[in-house]
Amino acid sequence: MSSSTNRGRTTTSVDGIMTFDVVSDPTPGLALVYSRLHPHLPSAVPFAASLVTIGREADNTLPIPEAAVSRHHARFERRDDGLTWVLDGPSMNGTFVNGRRVREQALREHDVLRIGDTLFRFVEKGIYGYGSYRIDGGVVIQARPFSHGVERPYLIGGYQIDAVIDRVAKVAQSNISVVVMGESGTGKELVAREIHRLSGRRGAFQAINCAALPENLIESELFGYRRGAFTGATQDKMGLVRAAHGGTLFLDEIGDMPLEAQAKLLRVLQEKEVLPLGATSAERVDIRVVCATHRDLDAAAEQGTFRGDLLARLRDLAVRLPPLRERREDLYPLVLHFLGKLGASTQTVTFPFMFAVAHYHWPYNVRELESAMRVAVQLAGDGPLDVQHLPDATRVALEGLGAPTTGSLMPGSPQRSTLRDGLMPPPAPTVPADPPERREGRPSENELRALLVFHRGNIAAVAQQLGKHRMQVHRWLRHYSIDIKDYRST
């Protein structure tokens, strides 16, 4: 999609999405994370030209017709240094990168940008792959870069998740062993279950967490035992390997398996038979093995804590599940999914809510997001989900930012936003760009709520920020039916 193709258009159409080898696509761009206008905005903004502009006017590469966006809000330049730079318009409300207002800054992978009330993630290359995946969960089938045709009942996500499913779908019906890599909470077991579902194997799916069992129990759980094999073995136990006969054996956190158990597992895979503890003869087994780990198995093999020959046997194919902070465009689809799962599909979310969700680091990934959604739905009651309904760890990410950076920043500059305490640098609330005396009219509800979050419910501070009297702020609170107690620390 060239800049001319997209110029003046605010909806995604099939002919506006380029379909070619997304793996070799070098094009950078922006992936849409959230906007109230998302049905009318493209999911991807390719930087195919050396200059791309975003603003309210129709002559921009991407027009965003909302009041919070200036006529020519921001521009993006691909320079001779090989980097993509964002430059503020200058705009009335500012351009933000990772919660910091910037004048000019070089972008790096996964930076979160805010333009008006629209959030994006910067993608260094391969942006065309994102174009057919809508953040409400829809897919433009005609432009989808994969043709595996798999429905995904277990996994919620867009382009990056579909790319993982495409790889495993191609090998699902073979006996190829798969290692799924990823952080805790990214959904590694869900991928394993999808492989089993697609495999067509008639046997069961059996799972064991190698990190959750004591070392002396892993062998008996995996290989089973005969009565009398040890004290307490009062009857035969089949073990998960034989229970998975004809099906799939899923070994979660395989990197934590003890070396002795690794040796016995290698024999099972090589000989296709298992010898239960206390048995005198082995039994034939037909299993498909899928493993998962958050560890670097190559490093573990070099250090001698994981057998290299077992790794070679297990890792016919390796796939990696990216953490949420690397696929923030999946946050809104996940929020909608969890609302439905919690029986709250009619509830809505505010921009400040998604603002906070999009800037939090989510160290425990989808599992942590689901927990946060359970809390938010309960606290919100029948009203919309707002920032005060998020857990403390998420709301902490809103504190302390909003200061502008100075000058032009290169990636890695000391003044640049950095990771702090496991959190992405939080976004600035909608802080007015102009001095108070230049502001006119009433702030939007979202702007007022964000200022209340920023100032922790301090009416005097909000009034000073807006250049108004406190009584005027109180009138706006009544107008928007905002309860100030929701924003004050207890």
Side-chain angles (χ1 to χ4, degrees):
M1 182 190 300
S2 68
S3 59
S4 60
T5 302
N6 193 36
R7 188 178 300 276
R9 299 168 64 177
T10 57
T11 58
T12 298
S13 62
V14 174
D15 62 345
I17 302 174
M18 185 176 292
T19 56
F20 59 87
D21 184 5
V22 293
V23 176
S24 61
D25 171 25
T27 313
L30 301 177
L32 181 64
V33 173
Y34 180 73
S35 173
R36 287 169 295 188
L37 300 177
H38 69 82
H40 309 290
L41 297 178
S43 301
V45 184
F47 295 163
S50 59
L51 174 64
V52 170
T53 62
I54 296 180
R56 192 172 66 247
E57 293 295 324
D59 61 351
N60 288 282
T61 310
L62 175 66
I64 302 180
E66 65 174 3
V69 176
S70 295
R71 295 176 59 193
H72 296 94
H73 198 108
R75 65 184 188 274
F76 298 83
E77 298 179 356
R78 298 174 67 182
R79 297 182 177 174
D80 293 338
D81 57 10
L83 300 175
T84 300
W85 288 74
V86 59
L87 297 87
D88 190 48
S91 62
M92 181 70 70
N93 292 321
T95 299
F96 292 81
V97 178
N98 296 331
R100 301 275 189 181
R101 185 167 184 170
V102 301
R103 290 187 301 171
E104 178 176 347
Q105 182 162 308
L107 296 176
R108 60 182 174 184
E109 182 83 345
H110 309 308
D111 277 345
V112 180
L113 290 88
R114 177 182 181 180
I115 295 175
D117 286 344
T118 298
L119 304 173
F120 299 97
R121 179 176 70 85
F122 176 64
V123 179
E124 285 186 339
K125 60 181 180 179
I127 188 61
Y128 283 109
Y130 296 83
S132 59
Y133 299 88
R134 309 294 298 170
I135 66 168
D136 58 6
V139 180
V140 183
I141 299 298
Q142 298 92 329
R144 184 167 171 250
F146 307 111
S147 57
H148 53 72
V150 176
E151 295 181 3
R152 305 194 304 276
Y154 300 124
L155 294 156
I156 305 297
Y159 167 63
Q160 294 190 68
I161 293 299
D162 208 14
V164 172
I165 296 302
D166 182 65
R167 295 199 75 196
V168 300
K170 291 175 179 176
V171 303
Q173 295 187 10
S174 69
N175 286 323
I176 287 177
S177 297
V178 181
V179 173
V180 184
M181 300 174 295
E183 297 178 4
S184 175
T186 51
K188 296 186 292 293
E189 183 172 343
L190 297 181
V191 173
R193 290 185 179 275
E194 190 74 350
I195 293 172
H196 175 68
R197 186 179 74 88
L198 297 173
S199 71
R201 296 179 67 89
R202 297 180 179 275
F205 177 91
Q206 298 289 343
I208 183 172
N209 188 328
C210 300
L213 288 176
E215 183 174 343
N216 62 329
L217 293 181
I218 287 182
E219 290 188 39
S220 62
E221 288 293 319
L222 278 175
F223 311 121
Y225 53 79
R226 292 286 185 260
R227 184 178 62 180
F230 51 83
T231 302
T234 59
Q235 59 184 6
D236 290 350
K237 180 171 182 176
M238 178 181 291
L240 291 177
V241 172
R242 286 193 293 158
H245 179 68
T248 302
L249 177 65
F250 174 57
L251 301 173
D252 197 8
E253 299 304 344
I254 185 67
D256 294 300
M257 178 178 282
L259 282 169
E260 185 176 353
Q262 291 178 33
K264 294 187 177 182
L265 175 62
L266 178 61
R267 183 181 183 279
V268 170
L269 299 178
Q270 289 176 335
E271 305 298 330
K272 300 187 186 322
E273 59 182 26
V274 61
L275 182 66
L277 299 178
T280 57
S281 60
E283 299 186 22
R284 299 290 293 177
V285 289
D286 170 25
I287 57 171
R288 169 46 159 328
V289 178
V290 179
C291 302
T293 184
H294 71 283
R295 299 188 182 278
D296 184 339
L297 295 182
D298 288 301
E302 291 179 3
Q303 296 164 7
T305 58
F306 198 86
R307 293 180 63 107
D309 49 3
L310 176 60
L311 176 57
R313 176 71 65 169
L314 291 174
R315 194 175 57 187
D316 293 331
L317 174 70
V319 295
R320 175 182 177 270
L321 276 177
L324 271 183
R325 64 182 176 275
E326 294 181 8
R327 55 182 184 102
R328 296 175 193 267
E329 62 277 2
D330 290 347
L331 286 167
Y332 187 57
L334 284 164
V335 165
L336 296 179
H337 168 73
F338 290 131
L339 284 175
K341 185 177 179 180
L342 295 166
S345 57
T346 60
Q347 280 189 282
T348 58
V349 298
T350 65
F351 178 77
F353 180 89
M354 287 305 304
F355 192 89
V357 167
H359 284 78
Y360 182 54
H361 190 60
W362 298 110
Y364 303 106
N365 295 291
V366 179
R367 187 179 296 125
E368 185 180 11
L369 177 61
E370 181 175 15
S371 175
M373 288 298 297
R374 285 200 300 269
V375 173
V377 166
Q378 290 300 314
L379 292 179
D382 296 330
L385 274 62
D386 210 338
V387 66
Q388 69 268 23
H389 303 135
L390 287 165
D392 291 344
T394 313
R395 288 187 284 112
V396 163
L398 292 173
E399 297 179 357
L401 289 184
T405 55
T406 57
S408 300
L409 298 183
M410 295 284 289
S413 166
Q415 296 185 46
R416 192 183 170 87
S417 303
T418 56
L419 297 178
R420 175 179 57 84
D421 298 331
L423 304 179
M424 281 293 291
T430 310
V431 179
D434 296 327
E437 63 271 13
R438 288 179 57 189
R439 289 189 55 86
E440 297 179 1
R442 182 176 65 209
S444 69
E445 179 180 355
N446 287 331
E447 183 179 18
L448 184 57
R449 286 183 181 274
L451 284 169
L452 289 170
V453 171
F454 184 74
H455 292 293
R456 300 185 180 184
N458 186 322
I459 296 293
V462 172
Q464 183 179 13
Q465 184 79 62
L466 294 173
K468 301 293 182 181
H469 294 294
R470 283 182 295 175
M471 289 306 298
Q472 179 61 64
V473 175
H474 281 291
R475 285 193 287 269
W476 287 333
L477 293 177
R478 289 194 296 272
H479 175 80
Y480 291 126
S481 300
I482 296 175
D483 189 344
I484 190 61
K485 294 193 297 293
D486 294 336
Y487 295 86
R488 288 176 171 165
S489 302
T490 57

